[in-house]
Amino acid sequence: MLLGFVILYLVVSIGIGIYAATKVHTAKDYIAAGRSLPIYIVMAMVFATWFGAETVLGIPATFMEEDMAGLISDPFGASLCLILFGLFFARKLYRMNLLTIGDFYRERYDRKVEVVTGIAIALSYLGWVSAQVTALGLVFNVLSDGVITQQQGILIGAAVVLMYTLYGGMWSVALTTFFQMIIIVIGLIYIAGLLSDMTGGVAPVIEHAANSGKFHFWPEMNGVAMVAFLSGLLTMGFGSIPQQDVFQRANSSKNENVAVWGTVLGGAAYFLFAAVPLFMAYSANLIDPLLAGKWLTTDSQKLLPELVKGHLPLFAQVVFYGALLSVIMSTASGTLLAPSVTISENVIKDFITRRKHLPDHKLLVITRWVVAVFTVLVTIYSLWSLEQQTGIHQMVENAYKVTLVLAFVPLVAGLYWSRASTRGAYWAIALGLLTWIPMEIWLPESDGPIPPQFAGFLMAILGMLVGSLTDRRPGRAR
């Protein structure tokens, strides 16, 4: 019966996505929803896209295994990204009337910078979308009591998300996300209330976590620990700023004020509400210590789903799994569309047209094909990551290293430094990449004094400074 309710929910989501497809007439409709969305829709998209599988399954699992310091990248870094983007980037980029974030690199620098950063941005999504698809596989596996394997669940989940994203694009993302955000908020608050009744309130859970040292957050006062702490914050806090999904939500707004405050409010809501799954998962220590011990030693990501399934009535289970699917699918659809748009607009289009004008309807067809192909790649990567036993939280953390190293510095310098030049962008990308990749291979984060992506980020700053200051040609300031 529970699986039947879940299937019904999936059908409703697909129906909303198909309805949204009727609003798509141009590539701009598909990519930016006609730049017509009000603040409550923008805020909902920002919140629901980032409130993904890692927030409900990955972050609590990390918190249970480690402590609050393990969450420095997400939700702390993720919330920092959204608020910074809203305050310092949304207005400037909105005024440029771009179709994708990759278009900025072409207008401010040149075509080569656009292609390199576009590829980097698209690659960064592989881990994030795969985390959502992997979570869908986990949910189907738990719901079916193992009848559906996690591998089979991944295939089913990828097909469902592709089905309602492929034709409706940003309109599908907007309408389904708004519906899904309502389910997320109401559902998780309801479940948290039931669990708090079983623990005697919120206070006993917090007290138990505090006594267990779970609220340890700040690093040791030594150079290596502090650099690692800062790197964890900035990898997602800065690395996820030059991302198509963040830009796309702001760019879909009906005006620049909506772009700014929809993003800021969505980021603040994400940070505050991320505490709810932490409370829910940790309450297992008080409700069923044996269950908590079992899943912490096997697969901590399954603890919360198994707790709900084993201790709450059927209606509550339906609400929880509906909310969980809303969480995963809202993130999966948005993060599937974003890299596909970047690849079609900033990488493929010029190679096909050879710098001639591409009719709008052909760009729309290309984008939809890329969505389909990218879904296949995501599915393959998800299956491979499952074999490697890569956690959902870790998959998301790894996603932003490439954009921190290659795309963040040229974006900030291009917006805020008039001397930033194309040569500076070349140097930033080259030095960042040549520092990060070798260190990632031969001196990974666990072995070296400084995380590889943080070293690459610092070298990218140096490259931008040296390249621009030695370039006598003026930069194209914005």
Side-chain angles (χ1 to χ4, degrees):
M1 185 178 293
L2 177 58
L3 190 58
F5 277 115
V6 168
I7 292 172
L8 177 62
Y9 174 81
L10 295 177
V11 171
V12 171
S13 295
I14 293 171
I16 294 173
I18 293 173
Y19 165 74
T22 63
K23 294 180 174 292
V24 176
H25 306 290
T26 66
K28 190 173 183 179
D29 290 336
Y30 190 83
I31 295 171
R35 301 188 98 194
S36 61
L37 301 180
I39 190 168
Y40 62 90
I41 295 288
V42 175
M43 179 183 171
M45 287 196 301
V46 170
F47 169 81
T49 297
W50 282 64
F51 201 90
E54 70 281 2
T55 317
V56 178
L57 301 177
I59 290 175
T62 301
F63 180 69
M64 296 288 284
E65 294 172 356
E66 303 174 25
D67 51 33
M68 190 70 77
L71 309 184
I72 183 62
S73 63
D74 195 2
F76 290 95
S79 304
L80 175 67
C81 155
L82 295 172
I83 292 171
L84 288 178
F85 187 91
L87 294 176
F88 299 104
F89 296 86
R91 194 178 303 275
K92 283 178 173 286
L93 291 172
Y94 190 90
R95 289 176 178 175
M96 294 178 68
N97 195 27
L98 307 169
L99 196 59
T100 69
I101 187 75
D103 291 344
F104 168 82
Y105 296 97
R106 181 183 66 246
E107 291 202 13
R108 185 60 174 83
Y109 301 111
D110 66 6
R111 169 67 179 158
K112 293 177 183 177
V113 177
E114 175 195 17
V115 171
V116 173
T117 54
I119 293 173
I121 290 168
L123 286 176
S124 72
Y125 280 95
L126 199 57
W128 194 9
V129 187
S130 296
Q132 314 312 314
V133 175
T134 300
L136 283 174
L138 185 149
V139 170
F140 287 124
N141 176 251
V142 172
L143 284 174
S144 65
D145 289 322
V147 174
I148 299 174
T149 66
Q150 193 165 352
Q151 289 88 343
Q152 292 169 339
I154 286 173
L155 296 174
I156 295 169
V160 170
V161 174
L162 173 63
M163 202 176 300
Y164 76 80
T165 306
L166 183 62
Y167 291 102
M170 198 61 184
W171 270 114
S172 286
V173 172
L175 296 185
T176 55
T177 295
F178 183 68
F179 165 70
Q180 288 160 349
M181 190 199 76
I182 296 172
I183 302 296
I184 291 167
V185 173
I186 295 175
L188 292 187
I189 289 177
Y190 171 68
I191 299 299
L194 293 179
L195 294 177
S196 69
D197 289 340
M198 300 172 71
T199 60
V202 176
V205 179
I206 295 176
E207 183 180 352
H208 189 285
N211 292 337
S212 302
K214 288 297 179 181
F215 293 134
H216 171 258
F217 181 70
W218 299 106
E220 298 177 10
M221 293 297 106
N222 64 70
V224 174
M226 292 177 71
V227 168
F229 181 86
L230 184 62
S231 174
L233 179 67
L234 297 186
T235 297
M236 185 169 284
F238 284 1
S240 48
I241 286 176
Q243 289 283 3
Q244 176 63 17
D245 69 284
V246 185
F247 168 82
Q248 206 162 7
R249 276 133 195 77
N251 199 49
S252 300
S253 305
K254 65 179 182 180
N255 59 54
E256 61 186 58
N257 287 328
V258 170
V260 172
W261 295 111
T263 308
V264 170
L265 293 174
Y270 171 75
F271 179 75
L272 294 174
F273 207 71
V276 176
L278 293 181
F279 164 78
M280 291 167 60
Y282 198 84
S283 66
N285 287 301
L286 281 70
I287 296 171
D288 192 339
L290 292 178
L291 180 75
K294 172 188 174 182
W295 289 109
L296 283 175
T297 56
T298 53
D299 186 353
S300 55
Q301 294 173 155
K302 291 185 177 180
L303 173 58
L304 183 53
E306 293 289 352
L307 174 68
V308 170
K309 191 177 176 184
H311 289 272
L312 294 182
L314 178 61
F315 177 75
Q317 293 178 43
V318 171
V319 171
F320 172 76
Y321 282 102
L324 181 56
L325 285 171
S326 293
V327 163
I328 297 169
M329 292 169 64
S330 63
T331 301
S333 60
T335 52
L336 177 62
L337 180 63
S340 304
V341 166
T342 302
I343 292 171
S344 60
E345 167 69 11
N346 301 117
V347 179
I348 295 177
K349 187 174 76 171
D350 272 16
F351 288 110
I352 293 177
T353 61
R354 297 181 180 178
R355 304 191 180 278
K356 295 178 182 179
H357 175 71
L358 181 67
D360 187 84
H361 70 279
K362 288 189 176 180
L363 176 60
L364 185 56
V365 171
I366 292 171
T367 304
R368 283 174 168 154
W369 270 105
V370 175
V371 169
V373 172
F374 196 80
T375 303
V376 173
L377 295 176
V378 162
T379 305
I380 293 171
Y381 184 76
S382 300
L383 294 171
W384 178 81
S385 296
L386 188 63
E387 290 185 3
Q388 301 299 313
Q389 297 184 329
T390 304
I392 292 171
H393 193 199
Q394 184 183 350
M395 290 169 74
V396 175
E397 282 183 321
N398 292 338
Y400 301 105
K401 293 179 179 180
V402 60
T403 42
L404 175 69
V405 173
L406 268 72
F408 179 73
V409 172
L411 175 64
V412 176
L415 286 173
Y416 284 99
W417 189 32
S418 60
R419 284 291 304 272
S421 69
T422 301
R423 178 191 290 180
Y426 288 167
W427 280 48
I429 292 170
L431 286 183
L433 196 62
L434 292 174
T435 302
W436 170 52
I437 295 297
M439 287 186 66
E440 196 73 53
I441 296 172
W442 292 297
L443 198 63
E445 190 168 347
S446 58
D447 298 335
I450 180 171
Q453 74 274 15
F454 193 63
F457 166 63
L458 295 177
M459 291 303 291
I461 296 175
L462 178 63
M464 176 58 74
L465 291 172
V466 173
S468 297
L469 292 174
T470 57
D471 191 353
R472 295 181 180 179
R473 295 169 294 179
R476 289 183 283 178
R478 283 277 173 188

